[in-house]
Amino acid sequence: SCHERYVTYSDAEYVMFADTMATYPVQQDVEWFSIPVVSTVIRDYDRTFGVEIIDKGNNAIENLHYSLKSNTITIKAGENRADVLVHGYYDNIESTDSLGFQLRLVMNDALEMPIYGKDTKAVLMKSCPFDINGFTGYCVLTSMFLYNYSITGSYQRLVYTEKHPTEENMIICRSWINDGYDVTMTFHPEDPMKPFVTMDEGQVASDEGSFFGIAHGDNRILVRNSALYDSIFYPCGNYLYIWTEMYVENLGTPVGTVGHFYNIMEW
């Protein structure tokens, strides 16, 4: 639209961090990430506030894991937001680290919203660049579907995966839960805070007889991405968690859902 609309809270002026705690990605090629500070009102003059690091409760070390670009922020006239810019030291953070630091706004106490406060905690998450090659080759599949229906009692199997020859960010999983039945998965790395993986509708994962001993439909167990749960992958660790829905049809007519099953794939 051509206009901006701002929400105000009566005439009271409060300034605060947008979140009292949030997780921020530390990326290899991104110099700064932003921690937003907001005001409940707009003024016709600039407002500058200090930002201090609170040592208590921090396990991230300043100038080793992170550093602030400045210890002040300015909300410009006509605006109600400014950003604390933080540099994360990508090479000094491990993918398994859980690091955080706390910040506090230095301002007149009258600007502090009751209960909400003037502090925030920032949690650092290392976000590795996506490389589909890290999700190809042999991997170990651990499947709750196999746990429930495997005739042999084994709920793990070795699966070979390879890049799809034409589709971007897609892999082919050879003989995924049963020999001779291949399925595909697609990676979505656009949001570094939530890289997720999907499985297309209507793929054949197995015949029914191999697991049920009888055909309830057209002797095919179909699989698709479960709509009930999130499926995510970890570029730093080369593994993924995917929730799948297994179901049966009879020549296109729904017969029933076998269930929603959790699967882990580790390369």
Side-chain angles (χ1 to χ4, degrees):
S1 88
C2 298
H3 303 282
E4 292 182 349
R5 187 173 72 176
Y6 298 90
V7 177
T8 60
Y9 302 85
S10 69
D11 294 323
E13 179 181 4
Y14 297 116
V15 177
M16 69 205 84
F17 288 102
D19 296 289
T20 55
M21 185 175 75
T23 302
Y24 301 92
V26 177
Q27 299 172 267
Q28 191 173 34
D29 300 322
V30 178
E31 186 175 8
W32 307 101
F33 65 82
S34 300
I35 300 178
V37 175
V38 296
S39 172
T40 55
V41 299
I42 296 171
R43 298 299 187 194
D44 59 1
Y45 52 83
D46 291 353
R47 291 168 286 173
T48 299
F49 307 97
V51 179
E52 65 176 358
I53 299 170
I54 305 172
D55 291 333
K56 184 179 179 180
N58 289 357
N59 64 345
I61 301 173
E62 187 180 10
N63 297 322
L64 175 65
H65 299 123
Y66 73 97
S67 61
L68 304 187
K69 185 174 184 180
S70 173
N71 287 102
T72 62
I73 53 103
T74 299
I75 301 177
K76 297 291 188 180
E79 299 180 2
N80 69 338
R81 169 178 170 154
D83 292 288
V84 179
L85 296 181
V86 182
H87 175 72
Y89 293 90
Y90 180 88
D91 293 333
N92 295 342
I93 299 174
E94 300 297 328
S95 60
T96 55
D97 283 346
S98 179
L99 301 171
F101 61 93
Q102 297 187 73
L103 300 177
R104 175 172 293 164
L105 291 172
V106 181
M107 61 186 183
N108 190 308
D109 289 342
L111 296 175
E112 180 181 348
M113 178 178 280
I115 302 176
Y116 194 89
K118 52 187 175 182
D119 296 354
T120 188
K121 181 170 184 178
V123 178
L124 304 175
M125 184 191 77
K126 186 168 187 174
S127 179
C128 300
F130 172 65
D131 181 3
I132 196 170
N133 293 302
F135 299 90
T136 59
Y138 284 103
C139 73
V140 176
L141 166 67
T142 305
S143 171
M144 292 307 296
F145 175 82
L146 293 177
Y147 180 83
N148 283 274
Y149 290 101
S150 174
I151 295 175
T152 64
S154 174
Y155 54 90
Q156 290 185 316
R157 59 188 282 119
L158 195 62
V159 175
Y160 185 77
T161 63
E162 59 189 57
K163 289 192 295 184
H164 195 282
T166 58
E167 297 296 326
E168 185 179 10
N169 295 341
M170 179 181 285
I171 59 171
I172 304 171
C173 305
R174 302 293 184 187
S175 299
W176 186 56
I177 64 166
N178 198 6
D179 293 342
Y181 294 90
D182 303 338
V183 299
T184 60
M185 296 181 186
T186 302
F187 295 88
H188 304 269
E190 295 80 14
D191 183 354
M193 294 300 298
K194 192 178 180 181
F196 66 99
V197 61
T198 57
M199 181 177 285
D200 288 337
E201 177 103 11
Q203 299 190 74
V204 182
S206 174
D207 60 279
E208 294 186 71
S210 295
F211 293 101
F212 306 149
I214 187 175
H216 300 278
D218 54 14
N219 198 29
R220 300 185 305 163
I221 301 175
L222 303 177
V223 63
R224 60 189 169 204
N225 194 69
S226 173
L228 301 181
Y229 308 99
D230 291 333
S231 298
I232 55 180
F233 71 92
Y234 293 86
C236 292
N238 300 122
Y239 59 96
L240 63 83
Y241 303 136
I242 184 166
W243 279 91
T244 55
E245 180 184 1
M246 319 294 281
Y247 60 104
V248 173
E249 294 181 349
N250 187 12
L251 301 178
T253 301
V255 173
T257 296
V258 181
H260 296 259
F261 302 96
Y262 185 58
N263 308 274
I264 305 173
M265 298 177 68
E266 302 169 275
W267 281 263

